[in-house]
Amino acid sequence: MSLSYLRHLRTSSPPIIHAASLRTGVWRKVPTYLRSLSSATLADIDPSRLEVIRTSKPKEIPPSSSLKFGHTFTDHMLTIPWTVEAGWGVPQIRPYGPLELEPSSTVLHYAQTIFEGMKAYQDPNGRVTLFRPDMNMKRMNTSAYRIALPTFDGDALLELIKKLIRIDKSWIPREPGHSLYVRPTLIGNQRAIGVAPPNEALLFVILSPVGPYYPNGFKPVSLYGTTEYVRASPGGTGAFKLGVNYAPGILPQKHAAGQGYDQNLWLHGPEHYLTEVGTMNMFVVFNKDGGYELVTPPLDGMILPGVTRDSVLTLAREHASGVKTIPGLPRNITVSERPVTMKEVKEASKSGRLAELFGAGTAAVISPVDKIGYLGEDVHIPTGSDGMGPISRPIWTELVGRQTGAIPSDWSVVVE
């Protein structure tokens, strides 16, 4: 059945899974043959098969003040192999260390790799939580399908991730603004050169303690509105969290830095539509009719359906409709998912209609912007004395409160 499925994959035109389905639950309704590269008879991820091998040489946990994002890793990692003949194999939590890959592994030649970014938090009472991890599992499955990697039971993987976090709980910093970054990754590791769905894959999860993105308070960033490079295009892979989407952004980032700016603002088309900020989703706030309009580009196939993006939109909409009031957030706010161009932003800046612009993502949560270099001149963006604006400030406070458990929310999933 596996071989017949692979023949079907190569010859059929399956329906498109839109990134917006992450918010609507459509993923659950997708036909089974699209939710797994294995046939129904092959094994899915099974937490009951977990093997645990604890390290005999635990590392010294560094002081939180010395942490640099993504440079320190805990004592253990999770690995789960997959083969086209048997499906998902035995999950194993084992000491953190090198992976064994042959030089012919497909990930090394054709970038068959996807990943996610999540955070675990520990409150003063020792309770550990994850923030909306179900969204990450759904997005990881859509990303896997997009490049013909095997999909999986997200709830089962999440259970295993929780076990890994519990084992390395002592690595979670307790200082305000600190967390444990969780990086699930899936690679194709077929030992053959050739562009095709892999017959072997490996899912692994590593953990990294991290400090606050802005250790000395918010510092607005400057953006370079790049017209020389393109991050994504219609029908491409911009809406999926693939490794192949990130390396091409490094040279444009160097170019932006060379021009004196912190990050790229990715523009698209001759109209210069705003899409994303660096590796974050983007929001613009306009003054409108005595209130505010919060705008973000729609999920059109080029925009990554970020968990923080969805959280910002949900909080703002619930506040505007009266479902859940956010302290400090203006009552008169309109939420729009619509295209926005640099012409509109530039004109709003000159007329005083531009209230703020910020990025949103897992690492920074909210990243305010104070200027955009565009076609040889700077477009200035208002920021408050603390670096934030009238919409981003209260939304950031609410988001961080829910993430850390200070504000009760069903978005906060208990690990231990």
Side-chain angles (χ1 to χ4, degrees):
M1 296 180 72
S2 302
L3 294 177
S4 65
Y5 171 74
L6 291 174
R7 284 194 294 271
H8 171 81
L9 182 67
R10 294 187 178 102
T11 58
S12 64
S13 298
I16 295 173
I17 301 175
H18 292 285
S21 67
L22 292 177
R23 293 187 290 114
T24 62
V26 169
W27 176 253
R28 300 186 189 92
K29 301 176 184 178
V30 172
T32 302
Y33 78 92
L34 293 184
R35 286 191 274 122
S36 178
L37 282 179
S38 354
S39 72
T41 61
L42 300 186
D44 208 325
I45 293 177
D46 183 356
S48 70
R49 302 174 66 193
L50 175 66
E51 295 178 353
V52 178
I53 304 172
R54 291 183 179 267
T55 182
S56 59
K57 297 179 180 180
K59 295 176 286 191
E60 182 178 350
I61 300 175
S64 298
S65 59
S66 70
L67 295 175
K68 185 178 180 181
F69 189 90
H71 281 65
T72 302
F73 299 95
T74 66
D75 284 323
H76 299 90
M77 64 183 184
L78 169 69
T79 60
I80 317 172
W82 177 90
T83 66
V84 72
E85 294 85 8
W88 289 101
V90 175
Q92 189 178 79
I93 291 176
R94 57 189 176 95
Y96 177 90
L99 299 173
E100 186 173 328
L101 294 176
E102 295 200 9
S104 57
S105 294
T106 49
V107 63
L108 302 176
H109 300 269
Y110 310 114
Q112 285 182 326
T113 178
I114 66 170
F115 65 93
E116 279 297 324
M118 311 156 61
K119 284 183 177 179
Y121 303 85
Q122 185 169 195
D123 69 16
N125 298 318
R127 189 182 74 148
V128 179
T129 58
L130 286 164
F131 184 71
R132 306 190 75 183
D134 58 309
M135 295 280 287
N136 296 95
M137 297 297 98
K138 292 172 186 175
R139 185 173 64 184
M140 194 170 183
N141 266 308
T142 61
S143 296
Y145 171 73
R146 178 61 180 84
I147 59 171
L149 284 171
T151 57
F152 52 88
D153 181 341
D155 292 337
L157 176 57
L158 183 56
E159 184 178 337
L160 291 167
I161 290 174
K162 289 179 179 179
K163 291 183 179 181
L164 176 63
I165 293 171
R166 286 195 286 267
I167 287 175
D168 280 348
K169 177 183 175 180
S170 61
W171 285 81
I172 308 176
R174 292 199 180 194
E175 292 86 348
H178 292 66
S179 59
L180 186 70
Y181 188 78
V182 182
R183 171 53 64 90
T185 305
L186 176 59
I187 63 174
N189 61 340
Q190 177 172 329
R191 290 163 285 184
I193 294 175
V195 182
N199 60 21
E200 293 182 69
L202 178 67
L203 195 160
F204 62 92
V205 183
I206 55 178
L207 309 175
S208 176
V210 296
Y213 197 82
Y214 297 104
N216 300 312
F218 280 95
K219 180 183 181 298
V221 299
S222 59
L223 304 179
Y224 177 72
T226 180
T227 56
E228 300 92 335
Y229 302 95
V230 175
R231 174 192 169 271
S233 58
T237 61
F240 306 91
K241 205 163 181 66
L242 315 179
V244 72
N245 288 343
Y246 290 81
I250 296 173
L251 182 62
Q253 170 60 35
K254 289 181 64 177
H255 181 71
Q259 302 294 313
Y261 298 91
D262 298 313
Q263 289 281 353
N264 269 299
L265 172 61
W266 296 105
L267 305 176
H268 178 72
E271 302 86 357
H272 293 166
Y273 288 108
L274 284 71
T275 61
E276 295 193 1
V277 174
T279 59
M280 295 180 288
N281 291 121
M282 184 219 64
F283 289 84
V284 188
V285 181
F286 297 103
N287 296 304
K288 181 180 179 181
D289 301 329
Y292 298 95
E293 182 188 18
L294 175 66
V295 180
T296 194
L299 297 180
D300 56 3
M302 292 190 294
I303 305 297
L304 184 73
V307 177
T308 308
R309 174 190 184 276
D310 183 79
S311 301
V312 170
L313 290 172
T314 300
L315 291 177
R317 284 177 172 141
E318 288 184 349
H319 176 84
S321 64
V323 172
K324 174 69 170 66
T325 300
I326 306 300
L329 190 62
R331 172 61 65 184
N332 187 0
I333 180 173
T334 302
V335 182
S336 303
E337 291 182 72
R338 65 170 178 83
V340 57
T341 65
M342 271 306 302
K343 178 182 178 182
E344 181 181 4
V345 170
K346 185 176 179 180
E347 290 177 351
S349 176
K350 289 183 176 180
S351 67
R353 287 197 311 111
L354 184 60
E356 64 173 313
L357 190 150
F358 59 91
T362 299
V365 185
I366 298 293
S367 182
V369 176
D370 61 1
K371 68 177 179 179
I372 301 171
Y374 176 64
L375 299 181
E377 62 178 300
D378 285 340
V379 177
H380 293 280
I381 301 163
T383 58
S385 58
D386 60 354
M388 303 193 80
I391 303 302
S392 61
R393 185 183 299 108
I395 284 182
W396 175 83
T397 301
E398 180 75 16
L399 266 179
V400 171
R402 293 192 182 202
Q403 288 174 340
T404 60
I407 298 175
S409 169
D410 57 4
W411 286 353
S412 185
V413 176
V414 176
V415 174
E416 183 176 78

